[in-house]
Amino acid sequence: MSNKLIRYYIINIIYTTIFLIGSTTYWYFNIKGIQDNLDDYNIHVVNEIKLDNLKQVSDRETNSLASYEVSLKNNTLDKKKMMVYIMKSNLNSNLTNNYIKYQINNYGINSLNMDGMIYLDNINSLEEKNIDLKVWISDSYLGDTNYQGYIVVNF
């Protein structure tokens, strides 16, 4: 082998080693930093809510439904935009979102949209907001009413 070819291979090995060490170091410290700070940048549901055994009622009969109390707290020092979703966990159910109805804080009655978002608001630093949520299945639905879901908060 010629000296030029050996020098070429050694230089390529050195560059590859530097690249691998640099990218691994960058990845490690960024991922570790993200994991260490997850609790500092989090809006969370104070009480976990699981939705199951929803009743099938008409919109006029919602006064008889029990409410879910959702407490949301911003644990950061910054104002955040929060989005609250209802997500279906039994994906094999034929019950689609448009038959899921909900009401927040006794305001208007809505059908769940395709992405499942039910609430969008800004929350100030260290502020806590409470949502009174009623969820039911529309009386116009004719299929299996087995529904299982949960509340997801995103910011």
Side-chain angles (χ1 to χ4, degrees), residues 59 100-104 107-113 118 136:
D59 293 351
I100 303 295
K101 301 283 194 129
Y102 69 94
Q103 184 179 29
I104 296 177
Y107 292 124
I109 294 173
N110 299 294
S111 292
L112 192 60
N113 58 20
I118 61 169
W136 65 96

Side-chain angles (χ1 to χ4, degrees), residues 42-97:
N42 192 12
I43 296 174
H44 68 278
V45 178
V46 176
N47 51 336
E48 182 178 325
I49 294 182
K50 181 179 174 184
L51 303 171
D52 55 1
N53 299 324
L54 296 181
K55 293 182 179 179
Q56 187 173 12
V57 298
S58 72
D59 293 351
R60 294 180 304 278
E61 299 171 355
T62 59
N63 291 336
S64 65
L65 292 175
S67 298
Y68 296 95
E69 297 292 328
V70 182
S71 296
L72 304 162
K73 186 173 182 182
N74 181 353
N75 290 329
T76 70
L77 298 177
D78 300 319
K79 183 177 184 178
K80 298 285 185 179
K81 180 170 84 170
M82 67 176 172
M83 296 163 276
V84 180
Y85 295 87
I86 293 177
M87 303 302 290
K88 180 167 54 169
S89 60
N90 58 336
L91 298 177
N92 58 347
S93 173
N94 292 328
L95 181 58
T96 57
N97 282 0

